Every structure is written in C-alpha cells, then in structure tokens.
Amino acid sequence: PVGLFGEPSAVEYLTKIRMEKAYSLLQEGNLTVKTVAELTGYQEPGYFTRVFRRYHGVTPSSVLES
C-alpha cells in the first residue's frame, strides 16, 4: 500500500524502521532472535522471523550466525 502522495504507508514505514533496527541488533551478535523480536515490537518470534525473511531475504538466525 502506498500513501496518498506516493510515500510508503504508515505500516510499511514502521516495518522498515523495525526491520533495519532488528538487522543491526542481530549483527551485534549478543542477543537472541526472541529478544530482538521483542525489542522491535514483535510478541511472536515466529511472526518476526517471517516478516524479517520477507523484508531482508534471509532469516534472522543467518544474520546472527554471520
């Protein structure tokens, strides 16, 4: 969904912010996927993983391990 003037919708913008923060937290390597999910506003780690994979094209675990 695109906003009225061609910008991302509020949900898309929030997802972008959350996913970028999640990626940087996972790269630090000292937090679990569950903790990163909670810190970025996701109560369910499974849902967080699906959204993360759709957004970044990789799983949170693979970022954590790299």
Side-chain angles (χ1 to χ4, degrees), residues 1-60:
V2 176
L4 202 57
F5 302 103
E7 73 280 358
S9 69
V11 172
E12 287 177 324
Y13 180 74
L14 182 58
T15 300
K16 174 182 185 288
I17 298 299
R18 286 174 161 177
M19 290 296 105
E20 289 174 0
K21 181 64 176 175
Y23 197 93
S24 66
L25 288 170
L26 288 165
Q27 280 187 313
E28 291 175 14
N30 54 354
L31 300 172
T32 65
V33 171
K34 182 179 187 296
T35 301
V36 171
E38 291 169 353
L39 288 172
T40 54
Y42 291 90
Q43 296 177 357
E44 295 292 327
Y47 180 66
F48 167 76
T49 296
R50 286 195 305 274
V51 174
F52 190 95
R53 187 181 322 136
R54 191 175 334 129
Y55 188 86
H56 289 291
V58 295
T59 63

